[in-house]
Amino acid sequence: MSTSPTDRLRGSALGITAGLIGWFILVELTSGILQGFYVPLFSDIVSQLGIHDSDVNWFEAAQLLLSALVLPVLAKLGDMYGHKRILLLAAILTAGASWWLAFAGDFWSFLAAWALQGFYVVWLPLEIALIFERGRRQNRGVSTTRRAAGLLVVGLEAGAIIGALAAGRIFAATGGDLTVTLMVPAIAVTLIALVIWIAVPESEPIPGRSLDTGGFVILAWGLLLVTGALVYMRMIGELSLGPGAWWWVVGLLAAGIAVFVWFVRYELRQDDPAIDIRVLRRPEMWPVQATAFLVGISLLGAQGPLSTYAGTDSSLGYGLGLDATARSNVIGVYLVSLIVGAVLFAITSRRANPRVILIGASALVGIGYTLFLPFHLELWQVLLNLSIAGVGSGALVAALPAAAAAAAPRGQTGIASALTNTTKTIGGTFASAVFGVVLAAGAGAVASQTAASLGGYMTVWAVCAGGGFLAAILLFFVPKVAFADSESPVDEAEAASGTSQVI
C-alpha cells in the first residue's frame, strides 16, 4: 500500500521536528517568560508585600529546594506512565501556582506559590524524552533530539528576554497594578497547558515498571540536606551570622554525602531503581552528568558576580561603573550569545561528531572566563569574554539533555535528561554559595567598604574557567561512537531492565 507525501512527511524526522518540536518551542518560550518576567518586578513585589530586599533570596531558595526534590520523581513517573501525562500535570501545577502568585497578599503565601511554580523545571527533560522516543521509532532518536534541543533552548532564552522586556512595560501600562501585571505569565502558562493537552502526543511507556519509593525518599533527603547546606552557606554573609553557623553547613553537607552513599548502595540492590547507578557509571553517561554540574558553576553561579562587577565603581581600579539599564544590556548580550550557541549546536550537530561539539563547547566556556583574568577593565572586553563563554554555554545547555537521553536505555530517557538539570542546579547552587563567601570576604577591604575585592572576582572567573576546561577533559573519556543513532532496534530485555553492559 503506497503512502502519500504528506504521510511520509509526518513519519519523517522533518515531520516530527515541524510538528512536535514546534509545540515544544512554545512551551519553552513560556518557560523563558516565567524565568525572565518577575526579576524586573522584584522591587515592586517587595514594596507590595512589605518585606526587605534581602527576603527575595528566600524565593529562590524555596523554589530551588522544591525543584531539586520533585524533578527526579516527576521524570521517573514520566518514564513509567507517559511523558505527556506528567508534562501536562507539571504545566497545570505551574499554572495554578502562577495564578496564586498574582493574588498572593503576604510574604508566606507568595513564598509558597513561588516554590510551587518551580514545577516548570521538569518541562524540558520531559520534552527531550518525548522527542527522543518519537525519533527512536525511525532510528533517528539521537540526531532528531540534538537538532530539536538547540531550537528548544533558543525558545527558552528568547522567552527570558521577552519576559524581562515585557514586565516593566506591562506594569507601566497597567498604571502600576501589580496583580494585573502578574496575571500575564499566569495566562501564558494556562494557554500552554491547553496546548500540551490538545497537541502533544503521548510516548509509549514500558509496562510493568514500579516506583522505587524508598529510593526517592532517600534521594530527597540527600538533595534536601546538600542544597539546604549550600543555600545556608550563601546566606551566612547576607544575614551576618556568626562563625558558629559554619558548623551547621559542615554538618548538613556531611549528612547529605552520607545519605547519598546510602542511596547508591540501596539502589544497587533494586530491580527497578529510582536512578540506575549502573547506567550512571557508563562512560557515555557519567562525563555528561559531571559536565552538567561544572557548567552550572558558570551558567547559574556566576551571574550575580557579573552583575555586581558591572556595577562596581570604576574609580576603584576595576569594575565598569554601569547603571541598572546598562547592566541589563550586558546580561542581554550574554543571553543572545546563549541563543547563538544553541543555534550553532542545532546546525553543526547534523554533521559534526556530538562528542567533539561537547568538548569544544566546554573549552569555549573555559576560554571565555580565562580571558577575564587579564581583560576585564573595558566594557568591550567583558562583552567579548561573555560572548565566547555564552556561545559555549548555550551549546551545552542544548546538548547535555540530548546526550543524556542518547546514553540512557529505553524507559530511562526522562530521568537521565532530568538528572542533567539536577546536577546543573546543584553546581550552580554550590558556586553561588562559594562565590558569595569569596566576594563577601573581600568587601570592606577596598575604599568603598561595600564592593568586593578584585581578588574575589578573579577567584570567581578562575573557578568558572577551571570548570569549563575540566569538563572538556572529562568528555574525552566518552567513547568516540557515543550519541550516534542506533543502527538496530533497542534490545527490549536490556531496555526493560535498564542494565546494559558497561563498556
Side-chain angles (χ1 to χ4, degrees):
M1 181 177 179
S2 61
T3 57
S4 67
T6 302
D7 292 333
R8 288 194 298 271
L9 175 62
R10 288 174 179 171
S12 68
L14 176 61
I16 293 172
T17 301
L20 186 62
I21 308 310
W23 297 119
F24 284 160
I25 290 175
L26 292 179
V27 175
E28 286 308 301
L29 190 72
T30 305
S31 176
I33 290 173
L34 285 179
Q35 296 176 53
F37 191 88
Y38 297 94
V39 176
L41 301 174
F42 273 153
S43 297
D44 304 289
I45 291 171
V46 165
S47 298
Q48 177 155 313
L49 297 179
I51 59 178
H52 193 271
D53 284 349
S54 62
D55 291 329
V56 171
N57 291 317
W58 290 105
F59 298 154
E60 180 185 358
Q63 190 173 99
L64 172 68
L65 289 174
L66 182 133
S67 300
L69 295 175
V70 304
L71 181 57
V73 177
L74 291 178
K76 182 62 179 285
L77 289 174
D79 288 335
M80 291 174 57
Y81 300 114
H83 300 106
K84 174 194 173 175
R85 182 176 300 177
I86 305 304
L87 177 61
L88 178 60
L89 174 64
I92 292 173
L93 291 172
T94 305
S98 300
W99 283 106
W100 186 2
L101 277 176
F103 295 97
D106 61 86
F107 171 73
W108 293 107
S109 178
F110 197 93
L111 179 65
W114 187 273
L116 291 174
Q117 197 183 49
F119 279 102
Y120 74 83
V121 298
V122 80
W123 291 1
L124 181 59
L126 291 175
E127 291 159 17
I128 292 294
L130 277 163
I131 296 165
F132 188 81
E133 292 301 322
R134 288 277 300 223
R136 189 197 293 264
R137 300 170 195 174
Q138 289 86 21
N139 286 331
R140 299 194 193 101
V142 178
S143 58
T144 300
T145 305
R146 284 200 305 267
R147 293 193 292 271
L151 298 176
L152 296 185
V153 172
V154 171
L156 173 65
E157 301 300 338
I161 295 173
I162 292 171
L165 294 176
R169 290 166 172 80
I170 294 174
F171 185 69
T174 59
D177 192 323
L178 188 61
T179 297
V180 174
T181 302
L182 296 184
M183 289 173 63
V184 173
I187 293 171
V189 182
T190 302
L191 292 176
I192 213 62
L194 291 174
V195 167
I196 294 171
W197 179 40
I198 296 171
V200 174
E202 184 58 280
S203 58
E204 297 179 1
I206 299 174
R209 305 292 299 277
S210 60
L211 185 65
D212 179 16
T213 305
F216 277 119
V217 170
I218 298 172
L219 177 63
W221 273 109
L223 289 172
L224 187 63
L225 288 167
V226 171
T227 55
L230 296 175
V231 170
Y232 191 55
M233 182 194 301
R234 186 178 60 183
M235 292 182 174
I236 286 178
E238 296 173 354
L239 301 179
S240 300
L241 301 179
W246 285 101
W247 288 108
W248 283 102
V249 174
V250 173
L252 289 171
L253 280 175
I257 293 172
V259 170
F260 279 129
V261 172
W262 176 26
F263 172 74
V264 170
R265 292 179 177 177
Y266 179 88
E267 292 297 274
L268 289 173
R269 298 195 301 268
Q270 306 306 307
D271 295 329
D272 192 1
I275 296 176
D276 197 329
I277 304 301
R278 296 175 182 85
V279 172
L280 285 181
R281 293 191 306 205
R282 294 181 179 182
E284 66 269 32
M285 179 64 80
W286 71 260
V288 171
Q289 300 295 344
T291 298
F293 176 88
L294 293 169
V295 75
I297 292 175
S298 59
L299 185 66
L300 303 178
Q303 299 316 301
L306 168 64
S307 179
T308 58
Y309 180 82
T312 297
D313 190 347
S314 57
S315 64
L316 296 174
Y318 59 94
L320 301 179
L322 303 179
D323 59 19
T325 301
R327 291 198 301 270
S328 66
N329 291 335
V330 172
I331 299 297
V333 170
Y334 180 64
L335 292 176
V336 170
S337 70
L338 292 176
I339 294 176
V340 172
V343 171
L344 289 176
F345 170 74
I347 295 173
T348 58
S349 65
R350 300 182 181 184
R351 299 178 179 85
N353 185 304
R355 172 177 172 268
V356 174
I357 295 176
L358 284 168
I359 293 172
S362 299
L364 283 178
V365 174
I367 292 170
Y369 280 98
T370 298
L371 289 174
F372 270 106
L373 299 178
F375 306 115
H376 53 260
L377 298 179
E378 301 291 339
L379 176 59
W380 70 267
Q381 295 172 340
V382 171
L383 292 178
L384 176 62
N385 302 343
L386 273 181
S387 298
I388 294 173
V391 169
S393 297
L396 287 171
V397 170
L400 291 173
R410 187 182 176 194
Q412 297 194 46
T413 51
I415 187 68
S417 299
L419 281 178
T420 62
N421 202 326
T422 299
T423 53
K424 180 176 67 179
T425 301
I426 293 175
T429 307
F430 173 78
S432 180
V434 173
F435 293 164
V437 173
V438 168
L439 295 178
V446 294
S448 71
Q449 297 297 314
T450 57
S453 67
L454 178 59
Y457 287 112
M458 288 286 195
T459 301
V460 170
W461 298 327
V463 170
C464 292
F469 288 130
L470 179 57
I473 293 171
L474 293 179
L475 289 166
F476 276 100
F477 289 91
V478 174
K480 294 181 179 180
V481 295
F483 316 135
D485 286 316
S486 175
E487 297 297 333
S488 59
V490 177
D491 183 84
E492 295 296 331
E494 175 187 320
S497 64
T499 55
S500 67
Q501 181 181 359
V502 178
I503 301 175

